[in-house]
Amino acid sequence: MKKKLIYILPVLAALTVTSCKKSFEDLTVNTNKPSSVPASLLFNGVANSMAELPDGSKEIYDQYYLYNYDYYGNNRFDLGSGDNYYTTLKNVVAMEQQAIKSGSPAVNPYSALGKFFRAYFFSKMTMEMGDIPMSQALQGIENLTPVYDSQKSVMQQCLSWLESANTDLASLIAKGDNSLGGDIYFNNSLAQWQKAVNAMHIRLLLQLSKKTSDTDLNVISQFNTIVSNPGKYPLMSSSADNLQYVFVAPNNYYPMNPNNFGQSGSRKNMSSTYVGLLTQLQDPRVFVVAEPARYLVDNQKQSPTDFSSFVGADPGLDLGIMYNNAGQQKYSFINRKHFYSTYTGEPSIQIGYSELMFNIAEGINRGWSNGNAEQYYMNGIKASMASYGIPETGSFTAYFYRPGSTDVTAASNYDSYTINNNFTNYYAQTAVKYAGGTTGLTQILQQKYLALFRHSGLESYYTYRRTGAPTFTTGPGTGNGGRIALRFQYPGSEKTSNTTNYQKALASQFGGNDDINGKMWLLQ
């Protein structure tokens, strides 16, 4: 036994010495948890983060849809902090780095679309708040107090990123690169991503419509170059090219679905800004997106398919009055069949063909490029109607939820009506037929507003803020002294963790105050 101990002890001593050489970090590494993730997985996360889904506060600020009970929310423009996408942007950086680490060349799908994501998220933040940290952002602990870049610099950089992304994607497509993975929007199609990049480029140029005289930006020249050169700048050719978030049960339900209808179905009602424009134009989309006001149908005996039976509430109305009227069924609610009866609803369009058509029509109307503004305008209307299953010539079925019903999924709980539509007759209306000039511009903006219902986040609010169309209403219910706020405030963390740069940004833009009514550079 003593001989055996002599041989065993040296082995134990060697093991002890070896284990002591390991650092604390080595000993605490969880080998069951990955220390890095592939670029495709990071791409998937970023793609999911960019989706702005319906049924949130942004629909309120677009004046599409209104709360009628203040326990759940209100319709006030007392805007708080804007969106903070910096964490998502850090994941964009990680995605780009991981692609290189895995052996991809400098120009690869993740680097190209990383430029798009940077333009997408930085432009959204500057559109909401004004000057923002950009050039010194995303440096982690190396710089915890980044300076604020001017809104002009941010927009210039975003336009540059989009231009570069288009160039890189064209090169990758020409080489037949198919290495993109994790794409929830286009099934890894770089050709479709290139179209979305250029649609985003046009969107941002329109947001700079007040800055056409700035030679540093060359807004008009950029717009004309993109629109007149489809070989270099491919554009969406139909709604099949939409960058849209598709809901798939049971993994991700549409925000409005049978599970929450009982809780939320009556907390909000339609807005007069939206429904009033639909009925004014005798637009058949109203039969798909809204329910008739039951008070008018059941008590006043109006036809449920009469345009006058669809009524939205004035967003400026005192919430107590709105709640009382909603309880008496004097307003239209959102259509139960289209939005609540399934778990997948409709795709949520982030950047779409219809919007692109109206944006190009607006640019041509403003004289930025040659072309037929009316044709683009008509294409936008037709695409929007088609998305609701409304034929250009023919009939479709409208479904209205029967009062007293308890199951939003049961077909037997809906009254159905055949609606005849003729686009030629619709378009022949004086208020719809493109008139050109200032009137034509208003028509383009109104139809764009109708097309973006439940889509593209704050784009309709931005269009109103930039152009005044369509007319937003104010009153006690919208707060803010009867004004539509012009911006969101900076995140509260900036005030405490980046104080000096935060205060400098406020001083240079808004007289030292984080003023929601302050006019940012691109609105001046």
Side-chain angles (χ1 to χ4, degrees), residues 206-207 209 223 356-368 373 376 434 441 444-445 448 463 466-467:
L206 265 296
Q207 295 293 356
S209 64
F223 179 90
L356 174 64
M357 293 296 99
F358 292 122
N359 285 343
I360 294 176
E362 180 183 345
I364 294 173
N365 173 279
R366 291 181 180 276
W368 294 3
Y376 286 106
Y434 182 67
L441 178 59
I444 292 168
L445 299 174
K448 177 182 171 182
T463 298
R466 174 174 63 90
T467 68

Side-chain angles (χ1 to χ4, degrees), residues 313-391:
D314 183 337
L317 200 62
D318 177 86
L319 213 55
I321 298 174
M322 190 184 298
Y323 175 72
N324 183 61
N325 289 341
Q328 296 181 51
Q329 304 288 303
K330 291 185 176 181
Y331 299 133
S332 293
F333 290 97
I334 201 164
N335 189 273
R336 280 49 173 117
K337 178 71 172 178
H338 189 76
F339 294 106
Y340 268 112
S341 67
T342 71
Y343 289 95
T344 53
E346 64 178 13
S348 178
I349 302 170
Q350 308 305 306
I351 304 174
Y353 170 74
S354 185
E355 178 198 348
L356 174 64
M357 293 296 99
F358 292 122
N359 285 343
I360 294 176
E362 180 183 345
I364 294 173
N365 173 279
R366 291 181 180 276
W368 294 3
S369 182
N370 295 322
N372 189 337
E374 182 174 21
Q375 188 60 59
Y376 286 106
Y377 169 71
M378 291 176 65
N379 289 347
I381 300 173
K382 290 179 179 180
S384 176
M385 288 188 175
S387 72
Y388 293 115
I390 300 174

